[in-house]
Amino acid sequence: MSATEGSVRDMLAANLKRVRTQRGLSLSELSRRSRIGKATLSQLEQGTGNPTIETVFSLARVLEVPISDLVDRPPSREVTVVRAADVEVLSGKGVDLRPLRRIESGDAVFEVYDQQVRADGTQDSLGHTGTEHTIVQTGRLGVRVDGREVELGPGDYIAFDAAMPHSYTALDGPVRSVLLLHYRAEQRLHLSAPAPGDCRPDTAPRPSPEAP
């Protein structure tokens, strides 16, 4: 676990009671199933206990949840709204991107972009980290991945290993689409130095995979 002891304790306290309640288990029943003392479980839920790796693994197994569900921040219950006018546009040779949200869940990181492919050029990439997902909303989009060409229309979806060379071309006017990048959290360490010729603008607001 990459978090500090204190943060792991705090996250476990916030998540354990929530997950236990969702499963309909009392402290006594969870204690019986996990073979962890009821007093210890109570301390963990209050944030005063000192969880060990073995304890967290045992609780995750009994509660039938990933370990990350116990030691990561609980999902927000708030409604998140991102206004297009409030997001800076990242422009490349043929694409305008608006970064809308980065979502982290366990070892997985997802970056969501509003993507507009302009009619005046083709956006090329030599390849970058992650898996790329694109859903076309309006227009006709030509996608070339490692020499293979695909034409997409409204509602069509494509996914591919973004390490392969790829390009986007608007075939008959501007194309509006949603771009989702998916990569492992550990790969963030290698994202601050984009490969020469990639299609992500150099003025990105934070280290992230090149897009698209």
Side-chain angles (χ1 to χ4, degrees):
M1 287 174 281
S2 61
T4 64
E5 180 183 356
S7 63
V8 168
R9 184 190 301 118
D10 292 343
M11 291 303 100
L12 183 60
N15 292 324
L16 179 56
K17 185 175 182 178
R18 174 177 57 84
V19 176
R20 175 177 64 80
T21 301
Q22 289 174 345
R23 293 291 186 271
L25 299 176
S26 65
L27 273 177
S28 298
E29 180 62 17
L30 180 58
S31 175
R32 185 187 70 80
R33 295 187 185 187
S34 65
R35 298 184 180 180
I36 299 172
K38 182 178 177 180
T40 298
L41 292 175
S42 179
Q43 290 175 344
L44 292 177
E45 288 193 355
Q46 294 172 23
T48 60
N50 293 306
T52 64
I53 293 176
E54 291 79 11
T55 297
V56 174
F57 271 64
S58 178
L59 290 171
R61 182 181 66 254
V62 171
L63 294 170
E64 299 181 332
V65 296
I67 293 171
S68 59
D69 280 9
L70 295 179
V71 296
D72 277 356
R73 292 189 179 278
S76 173
R77 294 181 179 273
E78 297 180 358
V79 175
T80 300
V81 177
V82 180
R83 302 293 184 187
D86 296 334
V87 181
E88 181 181 0
V89 177
L90 308 176
S91 295
K93 292 182 179 179
V95 165
D96 294 325
L97 289 176
R98 287 183 174 85
L100 300 178
R101 189 78 187 272
R102 182 166 67 185
I103 304 166
E104 298 189 28
S105 176
D107 187 47
V109 181
F110 302 87
E111 294 193 1
V112 184
Y113 294 86
D114 170 35
Q115 175 177 255
Q116 298 188 54
V117 185
R118 299 192 304 271
D120 57 357
T122 294
Q123 190 72 45
D124 295 304
S125 175
L126 296 178
H128 53 81
T129 297
T131 301
E132 194 155 322
H133 308 259
T134 295
I135 305 170
V136 175
Q137 296 172 297
T138 60
R140 292 173 55 248
L141 179 66
V143 183
R144 183 180 179 89
V145 181
D146 199 27
R148 178 183 176 184
E149 296 185 4
V150 178
E151 181 177 323
L152 304 176
D156 290 344
Y157 161 84
I158 188 171
F160 54 88
D161 182 353
M164 297 185 291
H166 54 278
S167 66
Y168 289 152
T169 303
L171 299 178
D172 58 2
V175 175
R176 189 73 174 265
S177 59
V178 174
L179 170 67
L180 175 69
L181 288 176
H182 169 214
Y183 55 95
R184 295 191 305 277
E186 64 191 41
Q187 293 175 304
R188 286 177 297 180
L189 298 176
H190 310 290
L191 299 178
S192 58
D198 72 44
C199 62
R200 177 169 161 258
D202 294 333
T203 56
R206 62 182 183 273
S208 64
E210 306 87 339

